[in-house]
Amino acid sequence: RQGDRLSLRLENGLSDPTTIHWHGIRIANAMDGVPDVTQAPVGPGETFDYDFDLPDAGTYWYHSHVDTVQQIGRGLHGPLIVEEADAPDVDDDIVLVLDDWRLDAEAQVTTDFGNRHDLSHAGRIGNVVTTNGDMDWRRDVARGSRLRLRLINVANARVFDLALAGLTGWVVATDGMPLDAPRRIDAPFTLGTAQRLDLIVDIDGETGDEVGLVELIRGEAYAQATFVVGEGRAPRSAAPSPLPPYPSFGRPILADARSVLIRMEGGAMRGLREAMSGGVVRDGRSLAMDGLFWALSGQVGRPDAPLIEIARGESVVMDFVNETAFPHAMHLHGQHFWEVGPDAALGDFRDTTLVQPGESQRVAFVAHNPGDWLLHCHMLSHHAAGMGTWLRIV
Ligand code: C2O
Ligand code: CU
């Protein structure tokens, strides 16, 4: 529940080091689970105690932050749900973990984790898509039920293009953070890598109908989560109320903000001419030999110095400019940011923003959570191939 403290022990039963990152939680920096930034990696047979406050209700997730292409690709992740004191009026609250897996002919996870094609193209896209680990997730529901669906995209690199089929629905939260007012869904929508959406949907079909969530791939709809409609009552007539608002972290003042330009470069079809790595300028060819294909503002891999050092209370505007041929899901640890529209209006409040090829996305926030925070692409192969940096908030 919101306001609780979460205390648990990681026991590493793997034969490799690992850590746990609590994605989207406004956490104390020392508990953020980033190897060599906030803690030493936890070796095989070792333990680490995580102990932190949960200041905000919402839909979050947790995952390994070591060798993520492999460890998350093999399934080291889970949902983390922080409940509001006043839950919305729904008949059921359902977590839907959307994932894809790359399986071989024997249905085993393929072990080509570091392959250069994934590193330099879209990342490790799977060939089997699941919801809660099931290729055909379905549930019987009564007609007239109102459901809260918590969608979490835990895939290595997949961007889910989704639509509601036979359901009336509203978005009520993005990346765990409530919208001021529910937003009616009247078109397909996108769930970028690592993003979450809380939906409220009404089951208003006829008995026996199969309704639900579909993934759209090149114009075809594939069932992602299916509800089989049973006997019930008429759907509610009123639209849902908003979720209780999150505590205010301060709204950024764009005119006074520190401004950071984050140029995203590299990858197949564009290439990287040169970039800084380990404090020296290297040409793209030699970086590629080391499996490094992507740069943020001319820098490959995590630099020694922060991209920017910000004082608490300062407003920050970051402009992500995607000069590559691929989408990137840019995630900031430790606090959320607003997506800023072309009219300078503050849009959705998120911890991960999807930037399409050739496009730019402005985000803004007030720095308030002190520490060293990672900022990286959540297409895990891209992060492994250089697409990550960090900020310092003092
Ligand atoms: Cu969910 Cu640094 O990531
Ligand atoms: Cu990327």
Side-chain angles (χ1 to χ4, degrees):
R1 294 188 79 99
Q2 182 173 15
D4 279 356
R5 195 166 175 87
L6 186 59
S7 301
L8 42 81
R9 169 163 295 178
L10 162 63
E11 294 180 6
N12 184 2
L14 309 175
S15 47
D16 293 306
T18 196
T19 60
I20 305 176
H21 169 59
W22 312 93
H23 184 118
I25 300 284
R26 209 149 51 94
I27 203 168
N29 190 245
M31 294 290 118
D32 199 38
V34 181
D36 305 315
V37 175
T38 67
Q39 68 171 95
V42 181
E46 293 176 3
T47 64
F48 187 89
D49 291 330
Y50 291 99
D51 181 25
F52 52 89
D53 291 325
L54 299 166
D56 307 309
T59 301
Y60 305 98
W61 62 299
Y62 61 97
H63 59 75
S64 155
H65 217 295
V66 173
D67 187 13
T68 54
V69 178
Q70 170 159 207
Q71 293 194 3
I72 296 181
R74 288 186 182 277
L76 281 184
H77 54 70
L80 173 54
I81 306 303
V82 185
E83 290 175 351
E84 301 87 7
D86 294 310
D89 168 34
V90 292
D91 300 302
D92 209 349
D93 184 323
I94 301 172
V95 178
L96 298 174
V97 176
L98 311 192
D99 201 356
D100 67 355
W101 307 80
R102 190 178 292 174
L103 303 184
D104 64 19
E106 272 74 53
Q108 300 302 302
V109 173
T110 66
T111 56
D112 56 336
F113 296 106
N115 91 62
R116 297 170 62 81
H117 188 273
D118 291 345
L119 293 177
S120 58
H121 290 70
R124 184 180 168 91
I125 305 283
N127 53 3
V128 171
V129 177
T130 60
T131 296
N132 298 347
D134 193 330
M135 291 168 67
D136 183 22
W137 187 94
R138 50 182 57 231
R139 165 94 62 106
D140 293 332
V141 289
R143 174 165 190 272
S145 342
R146 173 165 280 180
L147 310 174
R148 178 184 194 162
L149 306 181
R150 301 175 183 262
L151 276 42
I152 309 177
N153 181 352
V154 303
N156 277 44
R158 191 182 203 84
V159 173
F160 282 89
D161 290 317
L162 300 167
L164 297 182
L167 293 175
T168 307
W170 296 262
V171 177
V172 292
T174 53
D175 293 351
M177 293 292 164
L179 303 187
D180 297 338
R183 184 161 71 214
R184 178 72 188 256
I185 298 171
D186 47 20
F189 56 98
T190 299
L191 188 65
T193 318
Q195 290 184 328
R196 287 88 64 215
L197 279 177
D198 283 44
L199 311 182
I200 288 185
V201 298
D202 283 343
I203 304 288
D204 49 6
E206 298 301 321
T207 304
D209 281 359
E210 297 197 349
V211 300
L213 190 67
V214 293
E215 187 189 13
L216 303 173
I217 305 175
R218 282 179 228 90
E220 296 286 325
Y222 298 86
Q224 185 73 45
T226 303
F227 298 101
V228 183
V229 182
E231 298 292 319
R233 52 185 158 87
R236 292 172 174 70
S237 51
S241 324
L243 299 177
Y246 48 78
S248 172
F249 326 137
R251 288 175 88 84
I253 303 168
L254 300 188
D256 300 342
R258 287 278 291 284
S259 158
V260 198
L261 177 69
I262 301 176
R263 283 177 43 238
M264 307 146 86
E265 297 174 89
M269 272 106 79
R270 293 288 186 278
L272 201 54
R273 212 165 49 80
E274 59 174 36
M276 291 282 287
S277 167
V280 294
V281 178
R282 293 177 60 189
D283 69 84
R285 216 177 233 289
S286 90
L287 290 165
M289 305 270 276
D290 290 344
L292 297 169
F293 293 98
W294 307 90
L296 293 175
S297 295
Q299 181 83 48
V300 169
R302 195 166 66 222
D304 290 337
L307 177 72
I308 182 176
E309 185 168 310
I310 314 155
R312 252 182 286 177
E314 250 187 304
S315 295
V316 184
V317 165
M318 296 194 294
D319 284 296
F320 295 108
V321 180
N322 186 352
E323 299 175 354
T324 80
F326 296 91
H328 302 286
M330 297 303 297
H331 170 47
L332 175 63
H333 286 214
Q335 57 232 289
H336 282 58
F337 47 61
W338 277 271
E339 292 179 333
V340 182
D343 52 357
L346 300 183
D348 290 345
F349 200 37
R350 290 195 161 283
D351 58 49
T352 305
T353 187
L354 184 67
V355 193
Q356 296 291 355
E359 295 191 357
S360 301
Q361 177 66 56
R362 169 168 287 190
V363 303
F365 62 102
V366 177
H368 67 277
N369 196 1
D372 291 346
W373 301 107
L374 241 49
L375 171 67
H376 66 89
C377 179
H378 222 288
M379 276 72 176
L380 303 172
S381 304
H382 294 174
H383 188 199
M387 210 167 191
T389 185
W390 59 289
L391 317 176
R392 174 168 287 160
I393 298 175
V394 292

